[in-house]
Amino acid sequence: MSFSIINKIVNESLKISLLNIKHKSQLIHNNPFLYSFTDHSINHSERMLSCINSYLAECQQKNLLNQYECYVLAAAVYLHDIGIQNTKTDMLEKFATTHNVSFNGDRPELKAEFIRNNHAQISSFIIKEDLKGTSAPIAFDGPQELGQLIALVVESHGIDFFNNSEYKNYVYHNEIIRIKLLSVILCLADCFDCDNRRIDRNRFKYSELAPISRIHWMKHSYVSGINIKNHLITISYNFPNLSQSEKDTYRLFFCEETEYWIKYIKTKYMMILNEYNLLFELKQNVSYEEFSTPLNDEDYSVIEEKLFDRLNGTGDLQFKKVSIGVLIFGESILMVRRRKKEKNVHDSNSKEVLEWQFPAGLIKTTESPEEAIIREFKEETNINCAVKRLIGKRLHPNTATLCYYFALEYVDGILENGDENENLNVEWVPLENYQTLITSNIYWKINTYIQGERV
């Protein structure tokens, strides 16, 4: 028989209690409220328990937890997401009052957002309400002392509990229950269940979801599985087989999104993991498959901009920051031809080189991206312009620079080559010709903007 923390529970009343908790949790999850979110059902809980079993076994820690700790942890796993299905306004209002938070349930989308953001605390609140015994229990039916501890572990995946005085060791029937340890294990298990079993492909295909929800679903769809071996956690990804630059964008964005909370928990609670020999390394196993579904243009643009913001926020000096300006005047667009062709950083032999481009320049530390493009335009072309709006931003797939793209408006000035050391020439190019001159990757949002301006 394979190792299971549930099999370590020998007390018959605790076994019966856990079965009742599982059954109540299953009933709560039968009609999911937040269908646009990933699977939080009993199946998610069962997979979490499987991850916990593998994790403890592979770390040679089968005897780490006593039966009461196993009961508290297993019950918390079954109950940790019940709050995401709680739509009763009176219960939510009571929760909001108790926790001194603002709640507006008049609009369904606001109610859903409130539940999503507070579901861990709401789950804990439901358990505590059951413990009062004023009505039939909704979720928890078991020893009151352990119920209080289960509520703490349940809440842990939604709060920073490290310095919370309630998260300490408790004694029950002469056995120590280590709440911090159990909370760390639950949080990790929640993160470990990150593969494509957490999404319903048919529901995803036929549902109208907001971009943030679609991307959240696709994040899970690209994870084929997680393997726990010794102290190594390997997450396997299957991304679409696209161009190298797109592959890099998928890998950089989705791997970081998938692994963020695992890395956070490992770093924040390293002392606990190390104390109990549960510390692990994280490994990526990335492949690119023809059957893997790519994002649509809108969603791809969202991850480009989110990746841009992430890299921009790190302050990593390897990424240069550039402002690029798109100036249309009549049926022409302003372009420059560089003296030095810039090659694709991914492939030095590629014919894709950056020669013709829109006026652009590095952003100085003392100026904003908007100020930079206005300055660069004046210096390179002798044209004064004003910023109309931001078209978009991305990590350029060929040059590995962080690029801001601005739509500009002509103010005044006569065109001339203001930097002959850098540019062969600057020209007003007919709009129908710009795509033939640019031989590198053209940002699709620029094409969309230019097409819109010509209508």
Side-chain angles (χ1 to χ4, degrees):
M1 181 183 296
S2 59
F3 171 70
S4 169
I5 61 170
I6 291 178
N7 291 338
K8 292 197 67 177
I9 304 170
V10 296
N11 183 291
E12 288 299 323
S13 64
L14 292 183
K15 288 181 181 180
I16 294 170
S17 171
L18 189 60
L19 286 174
N20 289 335
I21 289 169
K22 178 181 177 180
H23 177 66
K24 290 178 184 295
S25 175
Q26 195 160 11
L27 291 176
I28 291 171
H29 286 291
N30 274 348
N31 295 300
F33 167 55
L34 292 176
Y35 81 93
S36 63
F37 221 48
T38 45
D39 176 30
H40 289 73
S41 72
I42 196 73
N43 296 322
H44 169 51
S45 296
E46 294 288 10
R47 290 193 298 268
M48 283 177 61
L49 286 170
S50 178
C51 288
I52 291 171
N53 295 333
S54 297
Y55 180 45
L56 294 179
E58 288 296 331
C59 289
Q60 306 298 315
Q61 291 295 339
K62 291 182 179 181
N63 296 318
L64 177 62
L65 307 179
N66 61 55
Q67 70 162 330
Y68 301 116
E69 290 176 316
C70 290
Y71 168 79
V72 169
L73 180 56
V77 168
Y78 283 128
L79 298 173
H80 77 290
D81 277 337
I82 57 173
I84 211 162
Q85 309 304 351
N86 181 49
T87 60
K88 295 180 179 179
T89 300
D90 58 341
M91 174 73 85
L92 294 173
E93 288 176 342
K94 188 175 182 180
F95 165 80
T97 301
T98 303
H99 288 73
N100 195 28
V101 293
S102 176
F103 169 66
N104 182 355
D106 294 338
R107 287 163 51 190
E109 65 272 19
L110 292 178
K111 189 176 188 179
E113 189 66 16
F114 179 84
I115 292 171
R116 179 184 284 113
N117 291 338
N118 296 282
H119 75 275
Q121 294 94 319
I122 296 171
S123 300
S124 178
F125 180 74
I126 293 171
I127 297 169
K128 292 175 182 177
E129 288 295 295
D130 284 347
L131 291 172
K132 292 178 180 179
T134 55
S135 59
I138 297 173
F140 180 74
D141 187 8
Q144 184 155 350
E145 304 96 316
L146 295 182
Q148 297 286 353
L149 304 185
I150 291 167
L152 285 173
V153 178
V154 162
E155 192 169 6
S156 70
H157 80 292
I159 64 170
D160 181 359
F161 62 86
F162 191 68
N163 294 315
N164 189 320
S165 60
E166 290 187 283
Y167 286 78
K168 60 184 180 181
N169 292 345
Y170 292 84
V171 177
Y172 182 79
H173 291 185
N174 298 323
E175 294 276 8
I176 295 177
I177 300 179
R178 295 159 288 186
I179 296 301
K180 274 189 180 179
L181 172 62
L182 300 183
S183 296
V184 172
I185 294 173
L186 178 134
C187 290
L188 278 176
D190 198 22
C191 297
F192 288 163
D193 184 32
C194 60
D195 64 32
N196 52 34
R197 290 173 295 179
R198 290 206 68 180
I199 62 171
D200 182 333
R201 293 182 184 276
N202 289 326
R203 177 176 285 171
F204 178 70
K205 186 176 181 180
Y206 297 108
S207 298
E208 289 293 329
L209 302 177
I212 191 66
S213 289
R214 290 199 304 266
I215 291 168
H216 186 73
W217 281 52
M218 292 303 288
K219 176 184 77 172
H220 290 286
S221 76
Y222 293 136
V223 178
S224 59
I226 180 170
N227 179 260
I228 303 173
K229 190 69 176 176
N230 296 325
H231 291 266
L232 182 66
I233 310 294
T234 303
I235 301 178
S236 296
Y237 302 87
N238 286 327
F239 294 125
N241 190 20
L242 303 170
S243 68
Q244 186 59 51
S245 63
E246 289 170 311
K247 288 178 180 178
D248 289 344
T249 298
Y250 277 77
R251 179 182 55 79
L252 285 170
F253 178 79
F254 285 111
C255 290
E256 176 63 24
E257 284 287 300
T258 302
E259 298 165 18
Y260 174 82
W261 284 111
I262 300 177
K263 292 176 179 177
Y264 174 84
I265 294 166
K266 176 187 174 183
T267 302
K268 189 169 185 65
Y269 307 118
M270 183 176 291
M271 187 167 57
I272 296 172
L273 294 171
N274 192 48
E275 179 181 357
Y276 297 106
N277 195 33
L278 294 175
L279 206 56
F280 59 87
E281 294 299 322
L282 200 58
K283 179 183 176 183
Q284 297 174 358
N285 181 18
V286 178
S287 62
Y288 301 93
E289 308 289 348
E290 298 295 340
F291 64 79
S292 185
T293 305
L295 302 174
N296 61 35
D297 284 346
E298 180 184 9
D299 293 346
Y300 186 76
S301 176
V302 171
I303 73 164
E304 277 189 310
E305 295 203 359
K306 284 184 174 291
L307 180 60
F308 177 101
D309 289 338
R310 182 192 300 159
L311 295 173
N312 191 32
T314 63
D316 192 333
L317 297 179
Q318 71 169 305
F319 295 106
K320 296 178 181 178
K321 299 177 186 178
V322 173
S323 279
I324 300 168
V326 179
L327 178 60
I328 297 173
F329 193 76
E331 288 297 311
S332 299
I333 189 167
L334 189 55
M335 298 186 70
V336 301
R337 186 181 184 187
R338 302 298 189 194
R339 285 190 180 277
K340 184 179 179 181
K341 298 178 182 180
E342 196 167 1
K343 292 187 176 182
N344 189 327
V345 295
H346 301 292
D347 183 3
S348 59
N349 297 317
S350 172
K351 293 181 180 180
E352 285 191 348
V353 293
L354 196 60
E355 181 178 4
W356 282 95
Q357 61 177 228
F358 304 114
L362 290 173
I363 303 169
K364 297 178 180 179
T365 57
T366 57
E367 62 186 355
S368 69
E370 292 85 352
E371 291 170 336
I373 194 58
I374 292 172
R375 173 184 54 76
E376 283 289 342
F377 244 81
K378 179 63 176 176
E379 291 176 359
E380 288 194 2
T381 70
N382 195 43
I383 296 293
N384 290 308
C385 59
V387 172
K388 291 169 64 176
R389 68 177 180 88
L390 177 69
I391 296 173
K393 52 191 178 181
R394 67 168 178 169
L395 176 67
H396 196 287
N398 297 101
T399 62
T401 53
L402 296 172
C403 300
Y404 293 87
Y405 296 84
F406 292 103
L408 303 177
E409 185 174 14
Y410 176 84
V411 176
D412 57 39
I414 299 173
L415 183 65
E416 63 180 63
N417 188 351
D419 189 351
E420 294 186 353
N421 290 327
E422 185 173 338
N423 302 323
L424 284 171
N425 52 302
V426 296
E427 292 184 16
W428 288 107
V429 174
L431 282 172
E432 60 265 22
N433 293 345
Y434 82 93
Q435 288 178 305
T436 61
L437 294 177
I438 298 178
T439 55
S440 64
N441 183 290
I442 302 177
Y443 190 22
W444 71 272
K445 280 193 170 184
I446 290 181
N447 290 334
T448 301
Y449 168 71
I450 293 173
Q451 291 166 10
E453 288 294 296
R454 299 189 71 183
V455 173

